[in-house]
Amino acid sequence: PPATLTLRFDPVGVDTATVSIYRFNGVAWDSAPVTGQQIVDIGGGLLEISGTLQSASLYAVFALPVAPALSSIVVTPPSASILTGETAQFEAAGTFTDGSTRALTGEVAWSTDVSSVATVDAGGLATGVNGGTAQVIASSGAITSYVTLTVTVPAPPALTVSSIAPSSATAG
């Protein structure tokens, strides 16, 4: 007789695009007899997968494949030089355990190691504050990458001295 299977799970770290229900038919695992398989967000941070087995089976399992993990971050450009008050845009890209890559600029946490020299916003835009060198840091969990930002104080404008000819005034 048909049997409906349901499993509630926390989707963190699970590749929900490839979740499947498999059945052991006494010889091998297969998913052919599962119909109506669906994943539903039931709230509270949980998902529910369900499906119906059309024939008796000895066992059924829910395959929850793990999503690829971030393995490294690369920040570009590898270094930059700006004047105080100017900005430099940095970008972050991640490489994952399955070899895939994607842009992470808006997803990583940005910071600098010397905020009195430079600051950086959540989008990777660094601003020179004072002269010096700072590391611009992009991190996600335990994965971190950094590049060097040099900030230079601009030279003061040259002074131009003009001679002023004394004027003669007559008091009367």
Side-chain angles (χ1 to χ4, degrees):
T4 299
L5 302 173
T6 302
L7 172 72
R8 292 181 178 178
F9 64 97
D10 181 345
V12 173
V14 174
D15 181 1
T16 56
T18 59
V19 171
S20 296
I21 301 172
Y22 292 90
R23 164 188 97 93
F24 186 71
N25 63 15
V27 177
W29 290 97
D30 65 49
S31 60
V34 179
T35 61
Q37 180 174 305
Q38 61 181 342
I39 297 176
V40 178
D41 184 344
I42 60 172
L46 296 176
L47 296 182
E48 182 176 271
I49 182 172
S50 62
T52 302
L53 294 174
Q54 296 302 314
S55 61
S57 60
L58 301 174
Y59 302 98
V61 296
F62 294 86
L64 304 176
V66 176
L70 180 64
S71 57
S72 68
I73 298 172
V74 174
V75 176
T76 55
S79 65
S81 296
I82 58 175
L83 298 174
T84 57
E86 291 184 343
T87 60
Q89 179 65 54
F90 292 92
E91 305 286 332
T95 299
F96 294 82
T97 53
D98 66 352
S100 64
T101 60
R102 69 179 170 85
L104 297 175
T105 302
E107 299 174 43
V108 296
W110 291 97
S111 63
T112 63
D113 66 340
V114 186
S115 60
S116 62
V117 171
T119 60
V120 62
D121 69 12
L125 184 65
T127 302
V129 177
N130 285 303
T133 300
Q135 300 298 316
V136 175
I137 304 160
S139 59
S140 178
I143 310 297
T144 300
S145 181
Y146 61 91
V147 294
T148 301
L149 175 63
T150 302
V151 180
T152 305
V153 176
L159 294 177
T160 305
V161 178
S162 304
S163 64
I164 301 174
S167 61
S168 56
T170 312

